[in-house]
């Protein structure tokens, strides 16, 4: 399973005008190529009268799926610079579509590359960038005599508290980054003089704005 990675939070949309041409950018998260293609087709159907609906996406833990489409613009002036923005920002599982309505003034190869790059960058900013960090949901079981101390320490820590269940023992559930799991176990063990039972429940990603 992949660990921490950077992607977009969700859907984002922007519009810029360059030399009278309208560039409408649509960004979204796509965890499969099918999702990316469906999003591209959705935007294309929305802008059937546009001169171009250029697209790019990167998908997979190791960016194994990378596609760029110029959709009628001169080769390498639209989809490729859009894909390069995704690479430069290290975004995974992300799809971008830039729709262009031609304004009558030709931009030239360099102008197109800059325009599509700028449109993509602004669209990504609108979608917001997040880091997805892999956490384990850990269950800490302690006797009620430890409840006050452990709960107080946990609530004052950086570990997100999920819930507390009161049964024969107190069961405290909290999220622990995979990278600090060993330190967490040592911390709880020392805090409870080895009286806590610590169990890993499941793996889950938690998103943080960056």
């Amino acid at each position: 399973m992949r660990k921490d990675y950077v992607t977009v939070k969700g859907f984002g949309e922007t519009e810029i005008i360059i030399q009278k041409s309208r560039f409408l950018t649509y960004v979204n998260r796509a965890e499969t190529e099918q999702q990316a293609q469906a999003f591209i087709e959705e935007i294309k159907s929305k802008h059937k009268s546009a001169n171009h609906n250029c697209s790019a996406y990167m998908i997979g833990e190791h960016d194994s799926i990378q596609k760029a489409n110029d959709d009628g613009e001169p080769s390498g002036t639209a989809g490729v610079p859009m894909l390069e923005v995704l690479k430069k920002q290290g975004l995974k599982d992300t799809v971008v579509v830039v729709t262009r309505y031609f304004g009558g003034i030709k931009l030239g190869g360099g102008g197109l590359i800059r325009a599509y790059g700028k449109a993509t960058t602004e669209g990504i900013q609108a979608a917001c960038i997040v880091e997805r960090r892999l956490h384990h949901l850990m269950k800490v079981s302690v006797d009620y005599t430890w409840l006050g101390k452990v709960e107080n320490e946990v609530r004052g820590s950086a570990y997100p508290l999920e819930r507390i269940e009161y049964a024969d023992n107190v069961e405290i559930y909290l999220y622990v980054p995979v990278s600090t799991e060993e330190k967490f176990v040592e911390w709880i063990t020392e805090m409870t003089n080895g009286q806590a039972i610590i169990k890993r429940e499941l793996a889950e990603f938690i998103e943080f704005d960056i």
Side-chain angles (χ1 to χ4, degrees):
M1 189 177 193
R2 68 169 71 179
K3 294 188 179 179
D4 302 349
Y5 67 98
V6 177
T7 185
V8 290
K9 190 168 189 175
F11 179 76
E13 178 181 354
T14 57
E15 177 180 346
I16 60 175
I17 297 176
I18 299 176
Q19 295 293 316
K20 297 185 179 180
S21 282
R22 294 174 63 209
F23 292 85
L24 292 83
T25 305
Y26 302 89
V27 181
N28 212 343
R29 188 185 299 177
E31 297 182 352
T32 66
E33 188 166 20
Q34 291 72 23
Q35 289 178 356
Q37 291 173 345
F39 181 73
I40 293 168
E41 290 305 315
E42 178 187 342
I43 302 304
K44 280 186 172 182
S45 65
K46 183 178 179 180
H47 295 286
K48 292 180 180 178
S49 63
N51 300 90
H52 310 279
N53 286 288
C54 306
S55 59
Y57 54 83
M58 289 215 312
I59 296 169
E61 180 179 0
H62 303 292
D63 305 326
S64 56
I65 302 174
Q66 300 183 20
K67 295 289 177 63
N69 190 322
D70 295 313
D71 195 38
E73 293 282 30
S75 180
T77 63
V80 171
M82 292 165 63
L83 183 61
E84 287 302 312
V85 172
L86 296 181
K87 290 180 179 179
K88 185 176 181 181
Q89 299 203 24
L91 296 174
K92 298 182 182 297
D93 295 349
T94 302
V95 56
V96 182
V97 181
V98 177
T99 298
R100 183 190 182 193
Y101 286 91
F102 183 54
I105 300 175
K106 293 184 176 181
L107 301 181
L112 286 172
I113 291 172
R114 289 189 294 273
Y116 279 99
K118 180 179 180 182
T120 301
T121 299
E122 294 198 5
I124 289 169
Q125 290 174 349
C128 297
I129 298 176
V130 294
E131 182 177 13
R132 303 194 80 212
R133 302 175 191 165
L134 184 61
H135 287 62
H136 281 140
L137 179 63
M138 307 292 286
K139 180 174 74 172
V140 178
S141 299
V142 294
D143 183 86
Y144 277 86
T145 57
W146 293 101
L147 174 59
K149 180 178 182 180
V150 175
E151 182 178 0
N152 184 62
E153 292 290 335
V154 163
R155 290 189 182 279
S157 73
Y159 301 112
L161 178 63
E162 205 274 340
R163 69 183 188 275
I164 298 177
E165 294 183 353
Y166 303 94
D168 292 339
N169 288 319
V170 181
E171 296 177 346
I172 302 172
Y173 293 81
L174 61 165
Y175 289 101
V176 178
V178 172
S179 58
T180 63
E181 191 171 312
E182 187 175 332
K183 290 183 178 179
F184 169 78
V185 172
E186 292 176 354
W187 178 59
I188 293 293
T189 300
E190 182 178 346
M191 184 195 309
T192 62
N193 293 332
Q195 299 300 305
I197 299 174
I198 305 169
K199 182 181 178 182
R200 181 190 300 164
E201 293 289 294
L202 54 82
E204 189 172 331
F205 282 100
I206 297 179
E207 296 183 1
F208 297 85
D209 294 338
I210 60 175

